[in-house]
Amino acid sequence: MPRLRLAPSILTADFARLGDEVASVAPYADWFHLDVMDGHYVDNLTFGPATVEAVRRSCDLPIHVHLMIEDPDAYASRFADAGANRISFHPEVTNDVAGTIEVIKQAGAGAGIAIHPDVEPAAATAHLGDIEVVLMMTVRPGFGGQDFLEFVVPKIAEVASRVQKSGSPADIEVDGGVKLARVAEVVEAGAAIIVAGSAVFDGVDAPAAARRMRERLDELNARTSENG
């Protein structure tokens, strides 16, 4: 089993000291996850390419930008130029999923498809040969700190099974309400990358929270290895 990876989401970080926040948890992280919201696809507004640039200056880890926006084609290149290594989008916002994947790849980033909890995963699994990651949402996108949606777990397992059967190298990433107590459940379903927002940037001690998540993932890796 490949090493389980931790991707802190900066959505609940202290933006007044964002560089310090990112640097403080970087020793325990494998990726950073940035949620971009446009006030249209979801009600909330977050940030743009300048924030990606700021995170890039603060660490040398890869960055996954999750576009919760209505026109990913128009903005993909800006986020790639700002430092995004992967860019995911929601397939229901475009009439040409394959075309949007190609736009992202031409911009120089790995493409990913994000699956809203209320959307069937077929939109992602039809393109497994062309994407690097399937981002399974376990909350309804729009705001950080929401509760985990249990009914998505079977969908995670379904997508993981399809990825394995297809031979695709795409990662299964899970995002939304994944607290420490939920990590084993989503890993068992097939998650390889765990996004953690308020579970890391908890407003108390982000490095300690990130360390606990890292230790839990390493424990699950070790347990899997022991079981063969």
Side-chain angles (χ1 to χ4, degrees), residues 87-157:
I87 299 174
S88 291
F89 67 99
H90 286 264
E92 61 269 28
V93 304
T94 177
N95 293 321
D96 184 4
V97 173
T100 299
I101 291 170
E102 188 59 26
V103 166
I104 293 169
K105 292 165 74 172
Q106 287 295 322
I113 292 180
I115 301 298
H116 188 291
D118 301 323
V119 171
E120 290 304 312
T125 56
H127 300 276
L128 291 177
D130 298 313
I131 59 177
E132 291 188 4
V133 60
V134 182
L135 179 61
M136 300 296 298
M137 298 294 296
T138 43
V139 297
R140 292 182 175 87
F143 295 90
Q146 298 183 61
D147 291 335
F148 182 88
L149 296 174
E150 184 74 33
F151 73 85
V152 182
V153 174
K155 290 186 180 183
I156 299 170

Side-chain angles (χ1 to χ4, degrees), residues 154-218:
K155 290 186 180 183
I156 299 170
E158 176 188 344
V159 172
S161 176
R162 292 190 186 186
V163 167
Q164 184 177 28
K165 289 176 181 176
S166 73
S168 168
D171 289 318
I172 306 297
E173 186 165 346
V174 176
D175 178 13
V178 185
K179 305 294 186 183
L180 203 61
R182 291 283 187 183
V183 171
E185 182 178 9
V186 296
V187 167
E188 183 177 345
I193 304 175
I194 306 299
V195 177
S198 57
V200 167
F201 293 111
D202 59 2
V204 179
D205 189 338
R211 185 184 67 250
R212 289 191 293 270
M213 291 291 284
R214 174 76 269 154
E215 289 172 348
R216 182 60 173 143
L217 292 174
D218 290 344

